[in-house]
Amino acid sequence: MADFFDGSFQGFLERDPGARFTDWLAARAEPYWSSATEHPFTRAIGDGTMPDAAYARYLIEDYTFITDLASTLGYLVAKAPGMSSKARLSAFLALLASEENDYFLRSFEALGVKPKTYETAAQGPTTRAFADLLLKSSGKGTYAEGLACLVCAEWCYLTWGLREAGKPRPEAFYLSEWIDLHALPGFEAFVTWLREEMDQVGAGLSAVEQENVAQLFRHMSALEFAFFEAAWTAETPSLPEEFQRT
């Protein structure tokens, strides 16, 4: 798909009339989209080779991010064009505040992470950049801009979650349950709806607006990769120059 990276959505459709707007977003986000969904960290979750220290780093960062994700969903609920869209987003927000929070607490205990550690943890620079882009796009941006960032985040997790769900589960419950949370039919249905919503909204945007949305999705893909990389290596990865200018 390399010949599509700098092309418009209209050009993408001319080459493949059956393509979806979200297909175009993923194509325009390469190589970052594939780097995120195929990151060694995600494969280590599935095959059970995840070092405890790396997963603890990851969970602490993700735990600090949950409130920002909830705020992002709240902004999108307010901006969603219809009641059915508001209901979908609200239902996911309710799920996020219940099932995932319980998972974090049990996993921290199993990994020996003390409450004072995760309750007082400050976001690392990669997590902060990730959260800032989501909050800015959903809070100050348009519905389409916020939706593009959310689609990227959730679709990325569904992609690797479904891949790892097709393999034998690792013994550690905090790894196997994390796979299940991102491969359950309910989560898959929500991401399917997110893509459909983005397809519909994106197709109605002007060419300039579509390009802006594509750049946001691309930036989010790079940050998804950086988030996994930071947990995997215990270092803060530098984003490519194209994102440092935004």
Side-chain angles (χ1 to χ4, degrees):
M1 290 188 179
D3 56 333
F4 297 142
F5 291 168
D6 297 321
S8 67
F9 177 51
Q10 186 58 41
F12 194 71
L13 285 178
E14 289 173 1
R15 292 174 174 82
D16 183 1
R20 301 171 60 173
F21 186 77
T22 47
D23 292 333
W24 176 68
L25 291 179
R28 287 292 305 274
E30 293 293 3
Y32 310 116
W33 174 251
S34 292
S35 295
T37 58
E38 298 288 339
H39 196 284
F41 185 92
T42 67
R43 295 191 177 277
I45 293 175
D47 63 22
T49 60
M50 176 67 68
D52 285 352
Y55 202 65
R57 283 193 296 271
Y58 168 78
L59 284 186
I60 291 170
E61 289 293 327
D62 211 35
Y63 188 75
T64 68
F65 169 70
I66 290 297
T67 299
D68 292 326
L69 179 56
S71 296
T72 293
L73 288 164
Y75 286 133
L76 291 177
V77 168
K79 294 181 179 182
M83 189 57 69
S84 62
S85 298
K86 292 179 186 295
R88 281 278 197 169
L89 293 163
S90 297
F92 186 66
L93 175 57
L95 182 67
L96 182 73
S98 56
E99 290 188 12
E100 286 205 12
N101 188 65
D102 174 69
Y103 163 82
F104 278 112
L105 299 182
R106 290 185 293 108
S107 298
F108 283 138
E109 182 177 6
L111 288 163
V113 180
K114 302 299 183 183
K116 66 178 181 181
T117 299
Y118 59 81
E119 289 174 356
T120 62
Q123 288 182 340
T126 301
T127 309
R128 184 70 261 156
F130 191 90
D132 283 348
L133 185 59
L134 265 174
L135 291 171
K136 180 179 179 181
S137 63
S138 61
K140 297 182 179 179
T142 65
Y143 179 62
E145 291 169 343
L147 188 64
C149 291
L150 183 64
V151 168
C152 180
E154 303 305 332
W155 187 16
C156 174
Y157 270 66
L158 177 68
T159 300
W160 70 254
L162 288 177
R163 184 192 67 223
E164 299 306 319
K167 306 173 185 178
R169 293 291 192 278
E171 291 185 9
F173 80 84
Y174 46 82
L175 298 179
S176 60
E177 285 189 22
W178 197 235
I179 294 169
D180 289 338
L181 280 170
H182 297 99
L184 288 170
F187 182 66
E188 184 175 7
F190 176 68
V191 177
T192 297
W193 173 81
L194 278 179
R195 288 192 64 191
E196 292 170 348
E197 182 84 342
M198 187 77 257
D199 290 338
Q200 180 178 354
V201 172
L205 300 175
S206 69
V208 172
E209 291 168 332
Q210 288 176 344
E211 177 62 24
N212 182 52
V213 164
Q215 290 305 316
L216 286 170
F217 191 98
R218 182 176 174 83
H219 193 171
M220 280 293 294
S221 296
L223 286 169
E224 285 281 10
F225 167 80
F227 189 81
F228 291 136
E229 187 73 2
W232 190 238
T233 65
E235 298 179 0
T236 302
S238 297
L239 287 178
E241 186 178 352
E242 65 176 292
F243 305 116
Q244 296 175 14
R245 295 194 301 267
T246 59

